[in-house]
Amino acid sequence: MKNMMIGVDLAKAVFQVHGALRMGEIQFRKKLTRKQFPAFMAQQDPSMVIFKACGSAHFWAREIEALGHEVKLIAPQYVRPFVKRQKNDAADAEAIIIAARQPEMRFADPKTVEQQSCAAVFCGRERLVHQRTADVNALRALLYELGYVFRVGMSHLNR
């Protein structure tokens, strides 16, 4: 593995890529589309690639790992203090590299497709339970206004 670190600020259409040596010497700054990004990364020597853990980060982490790079994800709140100038995508990509060089930095592991699928099912179920609870509470409040009172809980709703 080379001494290169590549920070990537992901977006919907255009990615900002910042490459620097571990000591901080800037090697390149690029603005790439979604289609250009995989081809560009395939041309790079194996490096450490760091993404902010945000939407699509786990997908891109798997794609870039398949190209032979080491991938790390960093939480956005750990990157924010290292933005030197105006908040924009290029400054974020540079801040990702600076944050990743910190010796005490904590990284997240990229999720597999199976882990993401399980999380999606779990979150969907949690959302449904929350909505059902809100609906039952609204119904209880409406019935209370009409003089009907019943105890809290799904089991009491049937009566």
Side-chain angles (χ1 to χ4, degrees):
M1 179 126 347
K2 229 172 84 172
N3 200 16
M4 175 75 84
M5 297 175 78
I6 301 173
V8 181
D9 186 60
L10 298 170
K12 290 181 183 164
V14 178
F15 299 168
Q16 289 288 339
V17 182
H18 183 90
L21 298 178
R22 291 185 193 263
M23 298 308 291
E25 184 182 331
I26 297 171
Q27 299 297 303
F28 58 83
R29 288 183 176 134
K30 297 241 182 234
K31 187 176 185 178
L32 303 169
T33 64
R34 291 179 76 82
K35 289 185 179 183
Q36 293 171 333
F37 180 63
F40 174 79
M41 292 306 294
Q43 294 172 356
Q44 300 301 311
D45 291 333
S47 307
M48 180 187 296
V49 181
I50 305 103
F51 296 105
K52 268 197 294 188
C54 60
S56 79
H58 295 282
F59 166 76
W60 285 111
R62 290 189 299 269
E63 293 290 311
I64 299 306
E65 276 183 342
L67 296 174
H69 298 283
E70 178 186 352
V71 176
K72 294 190 176 198
L73 300 178
I74 188 168
Q77 64 263 27
Y78 296 149
V79 174
R80 195 171 302 117
F82 296 99
V83 177
K84 293 184 199 173
R85 53 194 186 279
Q86 293 177 343
K87 166 92 173 78
N88 58 41
D89 292 344
D92 280 355
E94 183 179 359
I96 289 169
I97 293 290
I98 296 168
R101 284 198 317 247
Q102 304 305 308
E104 69 279 356
M105 188 51 62
R106 289 184 241 142
F107 297 98
D109 294 327
K111 292 181 181 176
T112 64
V113 174
E114 293 79 19
Q115 288 172 322
Q116 282 187 292
S117 299
C118 288
V121 169
F122 179 77
C123 288
R125 183 185 184 286
E126 285 291 310
R127 208 168 25 256
L128 288 172
V129 168
H130 184 72
Q131 288 171 347
R132 181 186 68 179
T133 302
D135 289 344
V136 167
N137 288 341
L139 180 61
R140 284 183 62 240
L142 177 65
L143 292 174
Y144 182 65
E145 290 293 326
L146 298 173
Y148 299 100
V149 178
F150 60 94
R151 297 190 337 219
V152 176
M154 290 297 298
S155 60
H156 303 289
L157 181 64
N158 291 334
R159 75 178 176 108

